[in-house]
Amino acid sequence: MLIIREKALHGGQVEAIERAHWGGKHNLQDHFARLMGLRIEDFDTYEDLDLLQLFGSAIRHGDGRAARKIYDRHPSLWFNWLAPGSVFTIGATELTIPIDGPRHPPYSHMTLPEELLHQMLQSVEWFWTDIETIRCRSFKTMHESTVAGIATGDRARESRQRKRVWPTAP
């Protein structure tokens, strides 16, 4: 979408878009804002899209920055790991996880609940629905079915938080 828009508007920075990363300098968010006139971070699905990007990076690279970010945001995905210094009791025995243990669990120990996967799919669908609504709102003249579709979409968008199948926060 960004490449098509770049070609239509400027005809120039296609390679820059192709090489852009999700974060960092001259990232995809910068290109999105420049070409679309709005920030992707302002979409209500951005947190999920960002999490999906982190999952993709962690899948490719394993333990590293992305996996640590996922853990920091959603430690419950590692239900069987306790942080260093954690104390728990089993019967009459108290166990303490050594304080010098690793600060983050191995990526390979993460558990992805089915609800999370459904939510990620739902968020991608919502993002593209929002893009379509933005496109339709840009029409100078609209057929009545387009106006009705936008209104239906606006009502559906208002109920998104209630329709989430996986929470945004742990």
Side-chain angles (χ1 to χ4, degrees):
M1 175 183 73
L2 295 180
I3 289 171
I4 290 169
R5 191 135 170 97
E6 173 64 28
K7 287 177 180 178
L9 295 176
H10 309 292
Q13 299 181 28
V14 171
E15 287 183 21
I17 295 168
E18 290 173 338
R19 285 191 313 258
H21 294 281
W22 184 251
K25 194 173 182 178
H26 306 296
N27 60 39
L28 284 172
Q29 290 91 331
D30 293 341
H31 289 292
F32 189 94
R34 178 177 63 82
L35 294 167
M36 301 301 289
L38 60 147
R39 295 169 5 115
I40 195 170
E41 296 92 331
D42 293 335
F43 283 70
D44 59 9
T45 55
Y46 179 76
E47 279 187 46
D48 289 343
L49 299 176
D50 189 49
L51 183 59
L52 270 173
Q53 172 62 28
L54 290 173
F55 282 138
S57 184
I59 287 167
R60 286 188 304 279
H61 305 292
D63 294 328
R65 189 173 56 93
R68 288 189 302 272
K69 279 185 175 183
I70 295 169
Y71 175 74
D72 291 342
R73 291 181 192 179
H74 301 284
S76 65
L77 295 176
W78 284 267
F79 70 90
N80 58 350
W81 188 81
L82 295 170
S86 296
V87 178
F88 64 99
T89 304
I90 300 174
T93 305
E94 187 175 86
L95 298 172
T96 302
I97 304 300
I99 196 74
D100 61 347
R103 296 279 171 223
H104 293 89
Y107 166 74
S108 61
H109 292 181
M110 182 184 353
T111 300
L112 297 177
E114 185 176 344
E115 295 82 13
L116 180 142
L117 299 174
H118 285 295
Q119 183 60 54
M120 295 301 106
L121 290 170
Q122 189 175 57
S123 292
V124 169
E125 180 182 334
W126 286 343
F127 171 78
W128 286 110
T129 298
D130 289 346
I131 291 293
E132 179 64 10
T133 300
I134 290 165
R135 185 185 74 82
C136 289
R137 287 185 195 277
S138 73
F139 298 162
K140 290 183 180 168
T141 58
M142 290 185 221
H143 187 273
E144 61 190 47
S145 64
T146 303
V147 173
I150 290 171
T152 300
D154 288 347
R155 285 189 300 277
R157 190 170 182 278
E158 291 171 6
S159 66
R160 282 184 183 172
Q161 285 304 319
R162 290 189 314 272
K163 291 182 178 178
R164 288 186 67 85
V165 294
W166 190 72
T168 55

